[in-house]
Amino acid sequence: MEQVGSISAVCGRVTAVDMAGHARQLRLHDPLFGGDMLIAALDSAANVRLLSGMDLYVAPGSTAVLDADVIEHDDVIDDGSLRLHDVLRVLDLFSASARRSVA
């Protein structure tokens, strides 16, 4: 896998497990690769600097997988407004009287 970021801060025991199942304890500036699963112990945390420039915080007692949902940066953030826009566009195709009859 290719490198997607690195550890910019770490406190306590944070482990990365690669896609082959190999685990390694993370330290400051360690590289991270696509598909890595980050696991923070209950009293641990880490901050990841992705190559896209975004930061990812791994909270105590949590996990994060560095998959496409995390590492791919898109300029458009889907906060639900895109789906709402599509619904409104479809509703506009119906006449006002047809919309009143829909419960």
Side-chain angles (χ1 to χ4, degrees):
M1 287 310 241
E2 68 181 64
Q3 183 175 349
V4 297
S6 62
I7 297 293
S8 59
V10 64
C11 177
R13 184 174 180 83
V14 180
T15 305
V17 180
D18 65 21
M19 294 179 65
H22 300 110
R24 64 191 190 280
Q25 186 171 350
L26 295 173
R27 301 192 193 310
L28 188 62
H29 304 300
D30 277 356
L32 297 169
F33 304 94
D36 280 353
M37 177 187 293
L38 309 181
I39 306 165
L42 291 175
D43 60 349
S44 304
N47 198 63
V48 174
R49 175 59 96 164
L50 298 173
L51 294 180
S52 67
M54 305 227 8
D55 286 320
L56 172 70
Y57 177 68
V58 183
S62 68
T63 62
V65 178
L66 300 179
D67 60 6
D69 291 334
V70 173
I71 61 178
E72 290 179 3
H73 177 65
D74 194 342
D75 292 331
V76 178
I77 297 174
D78 185 8
D79 60 359
S81 62
L82 296 177
R83 288 185 294 273
L84 176 61
H85 176 73
D86 288 342
V87 169
L88 293 174
R89 191 176 68 201
V90 169
L91 287 176
D92 284 340
L93 296 175
F94 294 102
S95 68
S97 61
R99 274 187 275 170
R100 277 180 271 180
S101 67
V102 176

